[in-house]
Amino acid sequence: MNILSIESSCDETAAAVIRDGREIVSSVVATQIEEHKLYGGVVPEIASRRHCESICAVVAEALEKAEMTAEEVDAIGVTFAPGLIGALLVGVNYAKSLAFGLSKPLIPVHHIRGHIAANYLAHPELEPPYMCLVASGGHSHIVEVLDYTEFRVIGRTIDDAAGECFDKAARAMGFPYPGGKYIDEASKLGDPTRYSLPDPHTQNPYDFSFSGLKTAVINLIHNAEQKGEQINANDLSAAFQHTVCKILERKFIAAAREKGYKKIALAGGVAANSGLRASLENAARENGMEFFLPPLSLCGDNAAMIGAQAFYEFQKGHIADESLNAFATMSIDKVRF
């Protein structure tokens, strides 16, 4: 089954053709990072406009690279939640029109389910059940993947997500947007013990809280500036990344151990962070767990992961009609459309 999938939840316009949920036939991503870098973050109105300008060409390129016509695909998959509402609406309405015009099934896909499904493209042997840590700019979740379309959230952020914390801390340090990769690079040159940063606690032991950590970095920088002192960005980056990764690792591994999982996975934009990848690889090895993670090309937003999840949603009969709407927020375990 060949699914043409579309992703437009934030600042990447993406399209892909995915075969049977496991094979990438083609994948195209048009990013807006350089434009949003001017503002230090994503400007929703600009993102929506750029999606409108790019989506036709991106879909056409994905079909061309797949050496297929739109009539030859079997279904249309699209991200419908969560994300920036204006950006989502561009993809959803384009997909609805395409599905209607071609008389093809329309498959709505939850963005975070898509991130998890990115692992199926890289690891054909991976099957549920397993535990997954999803860490991205807008989400930090510990999720039990009970089946391909059945999920249970064990823990989540109660304030800032890990990726958001990376970007805001990076901006305070003077790094460009998106700041996560710059902190990752700088941390390799720094001493993680140079600065002491807080380890926030939560009522639910598997929830996350990164707001206080972000504030601690900002206050540390401001206090140094007021005293005329120089902050070592490499050391602060190393301390910050080490702290975030250890928080994610500790809670994720503890949840997996309590629930009895020997198979774990990582997903989301922060899955590209070298510190987190190494931290979880070591923890999995020490605990006798099988660890799966996507390649760097599938960590950020892309349509290939949406097409992978769309295949399993289709198998469960999760098909939408022309009334499909977009939703800015929606829990991964309470999908409706």
Side-chain angles (χ1 to χ4, degrees):
M1 180 181 189
N2 294 309
I3 297 177
L4 171 63
S5 52
I6 296 168
E7 154 65 26
S8 68
S9 64
C10 191
D11 60 341
E12 272 88 24
T13 312
V17 176
I18 302 301
R19 182 169 295 137
D20 297 334
R22 298 280 176 163
E23 179 186 349
I24 301 175
V25 182
S26 69
S27 180
V28 178
V29 179
T31 183
Q32 307 171 13
I33 285 178
E34 289 304 314
E35 184 164 10
H36 293 292
K37 188 180 290 185
L38 300 172
Y39 307 97
V42 177
V43 181
E45 176 61 23
I46 292 176
S48 301
R49 289 177 180 272
R50 297 300 171 262
H51 286 311
C52 290
E53 295 168 0
S54 302
I55 194 165
C56 291
V58 168
V59 169
E61 185 177 350
L63 288 169
E64 181 181 356
K65 287 185 173 181
E67 299 182 347
M68 299 176 67
T69 65
E71 289 78 11
E72 290 175 316
V73 301
D74 299 300
I76 311 296
V78 64
T79 304
F80 79 109
L84 301 176
I85 191 63
L88 286 167
L89 282 167
V90 176
V92 167
N93 283 308
Y94 186 92
K96 286 199 296 185
S97 300
L98 197 59
F100 179 79
L102 296 171
S103 298
K104 304 288 184 180
L106 176 65
I107 311 168
V109 177
H110 189 282
H111 182 73
I112 303 305
R113 291 188 178 193
H115 270 304
I116 294 173
N119 280 292
Y120 302 140
L121 297 169
H123 305 285
E125 73 278 17
L126 177 60
E127 296 179 348
Y130 58 92
M131 185 82 83
C132 186
L133 172 64
V134 182
S136 66
H139 308 273
S140 294
H141 287 66
I142 297 175
V143 181
E144 281 188 272
V145 184
L146 304 171
D147 202 350
Y148 290 108
T149 61
E150 186 180 354
F151 305 83
R152 180 186 296 130
V153 177
I154 302 301
R156 69 181 78 210
T157 182
I158 62 174
D159 42 53
D160 291 350
E164 179 184 2
C165 190
F166 264 104
D167 286 339
K168 289 182 177 178
R171 184 163 58 187
M173 293 183 215
F175 292 124
Y177 171 84
K181 69 174 184 178
Y182 295 100
I183 286 183
D184 194 4
E185 292 169 1
S187 70
K188 298 172 184 176
L189 306 174
D191 176 6
T193 65
R194 174 78 179 276
Y195 297 102
S196 179
L197 296 173
D199 183 346
H201 294 278
T202 56
Q203 186 173 2
N204 175 355
Y206 303 133
D207 281 344
F208 302 106
S209 174
F210 293 110
S211 179
L213 179 58
K214 171 199 67 182
T215 301
V217 170
I218 293 172
N219 287 343
L220 191 154
I221 293 170
H222 287 173
N223 290 338
E225 290 174 347
Q226 290 169 357
K227 296 175 183 178
E229 298 174 353
Q230 186 71 33
I231 288 288
N232 186 304
N234 290 340
D235 290 343
L236 184 54
S237 294
F240 174 79
Q241 177 159 301
H242 176 78
T243 302
V244 173
C245 292
K246 284 304 175 184
I247 291 171
L248 291 170
E249 175 207 312
R250 185 182 71 248
K251 297 197 172 196
F252 179 45
I253 296 299
R257 291 179 62 180
E258 181 184 318
K259 298 293 182 179
Y261 284 95
K262 286 295 185 179
K263 188 163 54 175
I264 61 173
L266 177 63
V270 183
N273 182 273
S274 65
L276 182 58
R277 294 169 80 91
S279 181
L280 288 179
E281 282 178 340
N282 291 334
R285 184 167 52 250
E286 291 172 358
N287 287 275
M289 297 174 178
E290 194 175 7
F291 180 47
F292 300 87
L293 74 169
L296 297 181
S297 60
L298 293 177
C299 291
D301 291 349
N302 62 86
M305 67 185 195
I306 301 304
Q309 183 60 26
F311 175 75
Y312 297 104
E313 300 290 347
F314 180 81
Q315 288 190 321
K316 287 291 184 178
H318 298 168
I319 306 299
D321 58 24
E322 65 276 5
S323 67
L324 178 66
N325 202 355
F327 296 86
T329 60
M330 183 180 293
S331 178
I332 187 176
D333 54 350
K334 295 180 174 61
V335 169
R336 66 190 187 282
F337 54 86

